[in-house]
Amino acid sequence: MRSIRFVALAAVTGLVLAACGGGDDETGSGDDGGSGGEPVELSFQTLAWQTASVEANEAIVAAWNEANPDIQVELIQGDWNNVHDQLMTSFEGGTAPDVFHYESTVLQDFGDRGNVLDLAEYLSDEIRDDIRAGAWDTATFDEAVYGVPFLQESQVVFANRKLLEAAGVTLPTVDDPWTWDEFADVSAQLTTDGQFGAVVPLNAPANRILNLARNFGGDYFTDLTGEVQAVFDEADQEVPRRIHEMLYTDNSASPDGIGMSSADALPGFFAGQYAMLPGAIWLRQQIIEQAPDGFDWVTLPALEGESSAQGAVSQTLSVSAETEHPEEAVQFIEYFLNAENQVQLAAGDWLLPTSQEAAQSPELNDPATGWDVATATAENLEMAPFQQVKGFEEWKSRIANPAFQEYFSDQISLEDLGAKLVDEGNAVLERYQR
């Protein structure tokens, strides 16, 4: 998820924004649309930050409030940069919003602490059936469902169509994607003086590498919910080894990518220095907004290893365990995340909806903006195994990201990389064992 890249808006116009918890304040107006009592009041904290996404949130909440005078929702603007600390403080102080937007990686911890409601007994068959099973897996722990997943990210490849066509490269299709070997071969074919076939952004690469490891069945961890151990088996080695070979054996991937984020790579991509740029589907928005006039680009399907599987986490909506109105909170979530609304939420953030009906929308299958290719990746998404690993965030930041950086900088060997991930990594994970 793009959490570290989000800059929250200070306010959302058109709605009253105030931090409020519990949903138990009385309005004092007595006007509930004619039911004869006070309306139920729910607070909903969103992390939407892009203009289109913010507008979609506003419109959905406004439509709900108009249609449901007995259950009124107050929209609160949260901030990806401090939401974890803010929620922890609000849980402890009893001021948590009734409904809150976050992501699946935190739900197990919140559930263990008793901060979130198990939604299993509240969810309708309609929403259970509409959302992909693989997405539900990201928010389900044992039998407890701690959130409703609604947005996911996948990895694809962006290409300079003019350069590929000039080299006589036949573009892959959703039904016939490139394998990793074919991608490496094409990258080598496109590499000339002053031009690399590809650039692979590798700044803080652990999440991407672990998600793509699913192409080859890699997990990086064993016994995820028990005595977890980091491993670096042959399947786990495939993706980093192949990228390293492109960097230093084939010399077809630019070493510039080692310190780059995806956004950092765009100027060189636009200038023709890099013919192809693997990246997340949300990068399409920045390409559209920033590309020079006449730049002809195309979204290519996700690469295939032994399969096209990719690990994924989800953005989620959850209910605070302390809410006084669980049924109404879930009723609102199901409305907010119905298929029609998920189309707008996905389009606003350039991410995949979890709703299978929403994924059939013409708006999310437009070839001109790469939506057709992006949406086709949804069926290959499965729960990222690492999200169940207690201590993963520390393992990632302290061990994995620095070790991958050293390896991709050619400072250590593949064997050394494995030793760091496993030996040093398990020393970190041991502290989180029950």
Side-chain angles (χ1 to χ4, degrees):
M1 299 294 173
R2 282 175 290 170
S3 302
I4 61 173
R5 306 187 66 83
F6 289 172
V7 180
L9 300 179
V12 177
T13 58
L15 293 169
V16 177
L17 303 182
C20 130
D24 57 351
D25 289 343
E26 299 290 325
T27 63
S29 67
D31 182 5
D32 66 347
S35 69
E38 296 290 350
V40 168
E41 293 185 346
L42 298 175
S43 53
F44 166 43
Q45 178 169 294
T46 177
L47 298 177
W49 65 278
Q50 298 202 77
T51 300
S53 184
V54 169
E55 291 175 349
N57 273 252
E58 290 179 337
I60 295 169
V61 170
W64 166 272
N65 284 338
E66 182 176 358
N68 296 273
D70 294 344
I71 308 171
Q72 292 292 285
V73 175
E74 178 187 20
L75 187 63
I76 300 169
Q77 184 63 46
D79 183 342
W80 279 101
N81 293 308
N82 64 12
V83 64
H84 192 275
D85 290 344
Q86 176 256 319
L87 283 174
M88 291 301 293
T89 299
S90 67
F91 290 142
E92 293 173 4
T95 60
D98 297 287
V99 178
F100 63 90
H101 174 191
Y102 204 6
E103 61 183 18
S104 58
T105 55
V106 303
L107 295 184
Q108 179 173 239
D109 181 55
F110 284 179
D112 289 345
R113 293 172 181 269
N115 298 139
V116 289
L117 185 70
D118 178 2
L119 305 180
E121 67 179 271
Y122 297 97
L123 295 167
S124 69
D125 290 341
E126 182 179 3
I127 196 167
R128 286 181 180 275
D129 293 341
D130 184 38
I131 290 177
R132 296 188 309 275
W136 280 121
D137 288 343
T138 67
T140 304
F141 303 87
D142 295 326
E143 298 299 320
V145 181
Y146 289 136
V148 181
F150 71 104
L151 292 175
Q152 293 185 307
E153 170 186 299
S154 65
Q155 301 290 320
V156 291
V157 177
F158 304 103
N160 182 320
R161 191 196 306 265
K162 180 179 178 180
L163 295 180
L164 270 65
E165 290 182 346
V169 173
T170 300
L171 299 183
T173 65
V174 168
D175 294 328
D176 187 19
W178 281 338
T179 65
W180 278 82
D181 287 337
E182 289 171 322
F183 175 65
D185 289 344
V186 171
S187 295
Q189 179 184 344
L190 293 169
T191 299
T192 62
D193 289 341
Q195 175 184 299
F196 284 94
V199 61
V200 184
L202 294 168
N203 182 39
N207 272 10
R208 173 185 287 186
I209 298 298
L210 268 61
N211 283 330
L212 292 176
R214 299 302 301 149
N215 279 185
F216 299 93
D219 289 326
Y220 278 82
F221 300 98
T222 61
D223 194 13
L224 300 178
T225 58
E227 298 294 320
V228 64
Q229 293 283 301
V231 296
F232 194 56
D233 296 332
E234 185 175 343
D236 306 308
Q237 298 170 21
E238 287 282 355
V239 171
R241 177 181 60 78
R242 290 170 181 273
I243 294 173
H244 191 276
E245 287 177 353
M246 291 177 66
L247 286 165
Y248 299 106
T249 302
D250 302 339
N251 295 308
S252 61
S254 172
D256 296 345
I258 295 168
M260 284 182 170
S261 67
S262 295
D264 294 334
L266 288 180
F269 179 57
F270 297 149
Q273 297 173 23
Y274 322 124
M276 296 185 291
L277 168 60
I281 56 171
W282 51 260
L283 193 61
R284 293 170 298 137
Q285 179 188 20
Q286 294 187 34
I287 294 174
I288 290 170
E289 292 176 349
Q290 299 175 24
D293 292 342
F295 182 74
D296 190 7
W297 63 285
V298 60
T299 303
L300 305 181
L303 301 179
E304 186 175 60
E306 294 178 359
S307 74
S308 296
Q310 295 185 39
V313 299
S314 304
Q315 292 187 37
T316 54
L317 294 188
S318 298
V319 177
S320 168
E322 298 301 316
T323 184
E324 296 184 359
H325 308 290
E327 294 87 358
E328 292 88 346
V330 174
Q331 185 180 346
F332 167 69
I333 287 176
E334 294 204 6
Y335 173 82
F336 192 88
L337 298 182
N338 67 32
E340 180 181 355
N341 290 336
Q342 279 208 41
V343 171
Q344 300 309 312
L345 295 167
D349 271 336
W350 294 79
L351 293 171
L352 296 174
T354 58
S355 162
Q356 296 175 84
E357 183 180 346
Q360 302 303 313
S361 164
E363 184 175 354
L364 301 185
N365 286 276
D366 179 13
T369 50
W371 268 115
D372 57 334
V373 173
T375 299
T377 64
E379 65 184 26
N380 296 315
L381 298 183
E382 54 189 42
M383 183 189 68
F386 62 76
Q387 83 158 44
Q388 291 186 309
V389 175
K390 293 184 178 181
F392 171 74
E393 289 298 325
E394 184 178 355
W395 178 89
K396 179 182 72 173
S397 61
R398 285 190 53 196
I399 307 299
N401 276 329
F404 279 125
Q405 280 276 298
E406 287 183 275
Y407 176 63
F408 291 130
S409 298
D410 208 28
Q411 297 174 7
I412 60 174
S413 67
L414 188 65
E415 182 179 358
D416 294 333
L417 171 62
K420 287 178 177 288
L421 296 177
V422 174
D423 297 339
E424 296 179 24
N426 282 331
V428 169
L429 296 177
E430 285 175 3
R431 298 201 298 273
Y432 291 84
Q433 301 302 312
R434 294 176 178 176

